[in-house]
Each structure stands twice: as structure tokens, then as C-alpha cells.
Amino acid sequence: MSVVKVSEAATALPRAWSSTVLGRVGTAAVKVLRMDELPVEEERHAEPEALLVLDGRLELDVDGEVVTMGPGEMYVVAAGTAHAVRPGSSGTLVIVEAEAEAEAEAEDRPTGRPSPGMLAR
């Protein structure tokens, strides 16, 4: 595998909240997406999910608690934990999630705005 320019991959995405898989590590997919200040509905995952802010700011509501992250900060959402993106989140986000979870979400994705945990194929 060659070096991945994460910022360039995020810039090349067709729209905010769509993601692309940068690589796989064991059973996990490493994805990147752009946030656009709009909120994203609450979701839960069967597996933990790591969220790493490359640039900008991520505002989360995690089980009713506000979590704010800036560049270089990471948060791991525990399996089964309700979480939603709050208004005002913008920048570049890297998500690491279990591969089975990512595939199931891509298959179940409704039309319209994807959640940050979903794969845009």
C-alpha cells in the first residue's frame, strides 16, 4: 500500500457526510469524511467506533452528554452507545469501525443524508 493523503481524499469526496474507505486494519475499516456544520441523527453501533478529528471541530451528543473535539483529538464511542453529531461540526473526520458494521450500514442506508458511520460506495 502507498501513502494516503487523507486531506486530499476528504477534499475529493462528492459531498459532506459521504465517506470513503482509506484502508483496512484487521476487521476494521478506516474512513474519512467531511463535516458541514449540519447535525446528523442519533445512531448506535454493535461495535465500538473511533472518531479522530483531523481539522475543524466535532460536536457530539453521547448518551445526553456533550463531547467537543478539536484537531488531533479522538473519541471512542462504546458499542451500543447512542450518539449524534450536533450542529456546528465542520472539518475532516477519520472514522475507524468494525468491517462487519460498516458493510451492514451500507446495505441498510436509507436514501438522503447518510450518517457519518455509514459507507458511501
Side-chain angles (χ1 to χ4, degrees):
M1 176 162 189
S2 60
V3 172
V4 175
K5 295 185 179 183
V6 178
S7 295
E8 288 180 14
T11 300
L13 292 168
R15 65 188 181 285
W17 298 111
S18 67
S19 63
T20 188
V21 175
L22 300 175
R24 296 181 188 341
V25 179
T27 62
V30 179
K31 305 183 300 182
V32 66
L33 61 81
R34 286 182 291 113
M35 302 176 282
D36 69 353
E37 306 229 359
L38 296 176
V40 175
E41 293 179 15
E42 183 178 284
E43 60 185 7
R44 294 174 190 262
H45 305 285
E47 300 289 335
E49 173 181 63
L51 306 172
L52 170 65
V53 177
L54 291 186
D55 61 72
R57 179 183 183 117
L58 175 60
E59 298 275 345
L60 289 175
D61 184 340
V62 181
D63 265 348
E65 304 263 336
V66 175
V67 175
T68 301
M69 299 181 331
E73 295 182 321
M74 183 178 82
Y75 185 84
V76 177
V77 180
T81 302
H83 59 288
V85 176
R86 298 170 56 86
S89 299
S90 65
T92 308
L93 181 65
V94 171
I95 299 173
V96 180
E97 68 182 8
E99 186 67 12
E101 179 84 10
E103 290 174 2
E105 286 180 347
E107 292 170 7
D108 294 339
R109 180 180 7 170
T111 58
R113 188 177 175 83
S115 72
M118 293 182 179
L119 286 175
R121 295 185 188 241

